[in-house]
Amino acid sequence: MEADWSSLNSDLLEAIANRLRIEDYVRVQAVCKPWRLLIERFPRHPHNQLPWLALPPAENSNTCRFYSFTERKLHHIELPELRERRCCGSSHGWMVMVDKSPDVFLLNPLTGSRIPLPPITTFPQVEDFLVSDDGDEKYCYRPHVLDRSHIYSGKLMQSRFLNKVALTGNPSVTRDYMVLAIYGDLEHLAFCREGDDNWTLVHQDDAKLIFEDVVYWKGNLYAVDYSGRLIECDLGGPIPEVKRILTTRLIIGDRSYLVVSGEELLLVSRTKECCFGERHYRRTKKFMVFKLDEESLTWVEVADLRDRMFFVGNNFALSLSANDFPECKANYIYFTDDCVNGYVAYIKGTSKHLYGGHDLGAYDMTNGKIEPFPCFPEFTCSTWPPPFWSMLSPY
């Protein structure tokens, strides 16, 4: 007598589904309609998974390519929402998409669901948005109250105004989530909550605080500036503001990331070097890692990640255990290109060549060597738009 798999006990199916990687979880829903209906009623929780690497689509294509380190292969997903748009953040299964127009929205690449966010015209620095007779988008933008207004193209605002955006939770699982942003030429902080019509600015007395990363850790918002100073913010008062500077300056590399690893907060510092050939470009030379000592409020260098591996990039920072994911290596930092300067120079007309997106690979903390990704075995000066990390969620 053949088994009727479609009538599998729901408790058993839930126990199986909870242990699946995201790739297999999606496939299970496609086995039969009874399974899909049952799975849709299960409690929603994060899935054990490695991030996928989103690769630039072919020209004039709506198909986005995602490389799975688990399966060592490319997946092709129809995502017309990515065409001519930029992903400035990816967390909890959602991408943060920006357009040349003021529109900003969250996108779930698996389900296609969209959640609108407040447009960038709600920032007080953005004074106006215009569309010319020939269809070109333009912004009237004043970086600081003491500055004069500038005219920025839609492409320029798309590429640099929202530098990095992060979510504190999955909007499909909780309504108590925030969207955190580093914005503008001065790279200050802002946030919004579900249903907000405007971005809320985080007040800071020192306008020279230029932030590089932001994270939600132990119920508070923390940010790091270009010198490695850790800043704690208070969002609960009548005026959201920078509460205090926790650590002193720690100027090490060219770029810093905040990574939550278990109960610890770590700072990853990335140093680049100049390379010369047919074109001048910069590539990653090394990484250094520091752990926050919560008692002394100092950064303490960490020479070995032990069983951990980090994934970092302009839109992303994540720590995972290599014991859970043997497809990747412990004590490695997997990184993507986070520099948009080459693209900005190209669209401003100050450079004749488009370069960038090329600086990616796996950094071995043991010997300082960099290994190429299997999907990018050879070096190129330009891979645009740059690949970025993406966590997936079926809801």
Side-chain angles (χ1 to χ4, degrees):
M1 185 181 200
E2 292 186 3
D4 183 9
W5 291 101
S6 64
S7 60
L8 190 67
N9 178 274
S10 62
D11 292 337
L12 179 57
L13 180 59
E14 181 178 0
I16 294 172
N18 288 345
R19 288 169 171 78
L20 295 177
R21 299 282 183 91
I22 187 66
E23 295 89 346
D24 295 324
Y25 186 90
V26 173
R27 294 188 183 103
V28 162
Q29 294 187 85
V31 169
C32 60
K33 185 175 181 180
W35 281 22
R36 179 174 57 80
L37 295 176
L38 276 173
I39 288 175
E40 287 177 352
R41 294 200 294 267
F42 291 160
R44 296 179 172 184
H45 59 86
H47 280 269
N48 203 26
Q49 62 172 299
L50 286 169
W52 282 15
L53 184 66
L55 306 178
E59 189 175 359
N60 298 322
S61 173
N62 291 331
T63 301
C64 187
R65 301 173 296 158
F66 290 87
Y67 181 77
S68 166
F69 285 84
T70 301
E71 301 175 314
R72 300 278 175 176
K73 73 174 188 179
L74 286 171
H75 294 267
H76 295 79
I77 301 178
E78 285 292 313
L79 280 175
E81 296 88 350
L82 261 66
R83 189 170 179 177
E84 295 188 358
R85 292 188 174 98
R86 169 178 165 250
C87 175
C88 60
S90 177
S91 51
H92 300 282
W94 293 77
M95 300 176 181
V96 185
M97 306 304 302
V98 291
D99 206 338
K100 289 180 289 186
S101 72
D103 296 338
V104 186
F105 62 90
L106 302 178
L107 171 69
N108 185 317
L110 278 187
T111 67
S113 300
R114 293 173 56 157
I115 299 175
L117 296 179
I120 64 174
T121 45
T122 62
F123 285 91
Q125 294 86 350
V126 182
E127 297 179 327
D128 202 359
F129 170 72
L130 305 168
V131 180
S132 64
D133 293 339
D134 55 5
D136 290 336
E137 299 92 345
K138 296 186 182 297
Y139 291 83
C140 184
Y141 173 61
R142 186 191 298 267
H144 189 270
V145 66
L146 298 179
D147 293 337
R148 63 181 179 85
S149 298
H150 302 267
I151 299 299
Y152 281 7
S153 69
K155 281 187 177 182
L156 186 59
M157 288 289 283
Q158 179 191 43
S159 66
R160 65 186 293 178
F161 184 76
L162 285 177
N163 297 298
K164 183 168 186 176
V165 182
L167 280 73
T168 62
N170 186 331
S172 295
V173 177
T174 177
R175 299 183 66 178
D176 185 25
Y177 71 92
M178 289 190 296
V179 183
L180 314 173
I182 299 175
Y183 75 94
D185 289 358
L186 300 180
E187 300 186 25
H188 289 174
L189 300 174
F191 69 94
C192 66
R193 293 185 171 93
E194 184 193 34
D196 284 355
D197 295 324
N198 300 279
W199 291 93
T200 299
L201 309 189
V202 178
H203 174 73
Q204 57 187 71
D205 291 327
D206 184 359
K208 295 180 181 179
L209 281 174
I210 299 174
F211 296 104
E212 290 199 321
D213 204 359
V214 59
V215 69
Y216 197 70
W217 178 59
K218 294 186 176 181
N220 288 315
L221 172 64
Y222 296 88
V224 64
D225 76 347
Y226 74 97
S227 68
R229 289 183 296 181
L230 184 67
I231 287 87
E232 181 183 9
C233 300
D234 178 14
L235 305 185
I239 300 178
E241 62 181 349
V242 170
K243 182 178 180 181
R244 57 175 177 158
I245 298 175
L246 298 179
T247 63
T248 57
R249 294 177 183 270
L250 180 75
I251 301 176
I252 298 295
D254 300 291
R255 183 65 191 263
S256 297
Y257 311 91
L258 291 175
V259 180
V260 176
S261 185
E263 294 297 312
E264 298 178 333
L265 182 64
L266 296 107
L267 175 73
V268 178
S269 178
R270 181 176 183 172
T271 300
K272 299 185 179 184
E273 61 181 351
C274 293
C275 302
F276 298 92
E278 293 184 6
R279 300 182 190 177
H280 167 232
Y281 59 92
R282 303 185 76 202
R283 294 190 69 177
T284 294
K285 181 181 180 181
K286 69 175 182 178
F287 284 91
M288 296 181 71
V289 179
F290 302 85
K291 180 179 71 173
L292 177 67
D293 185 317
E294 296 183 61
E295 292 187 3
S296 64
L297 294 179
T298 57
W299 291 116
V300 180
E301 186 175 356
V302 176
D304 193 319
L305 304 182
R306 299 184 183 274
D307 72 315
R308 309 301 294 187
M309 52 189 178
F310 293 170
F311 296 81
V312 299
N314 189 54
N315 71 315
F316 197 84
L318 178 71
S319 168
L320 293 173
S321 171
N323 295 331
D324 298 330
F325 302 97
E327 310 87 56
C328 292
K329 300 176 183 179
N331 206 29
Y332 269 66
I333 298 177
Y334 294 81
F335 62 95
T336 57
D337 201 335
D338 62 358
C339 182
V340 300
N341 292 342
Y343 180 69
V344 169
Y346 179 75
I347 61 178
K348 289 176 70 174
T350 57
S351 173
K352 295 181 179 179
H353 303 287
L354 173 61
Y355 69 91
H358 58 274
D359 187 19
L360 67 168
Y363 179 84
D364 187 345
M365 287 285 290
T366 303
N367 56 29
K369 294 183 178 180
I370 296 176
E371 301 174 8
F373 290 154
C375 52
F376 272 91
E378 298 182 1
F379 171 74
T380 174
C381 283
S382 178
T383 303
W384 203 266
F388 61 88
W389 299 116
S390 177
M391 297 294 281
L392 302 180
S393 173
Y395 34 76

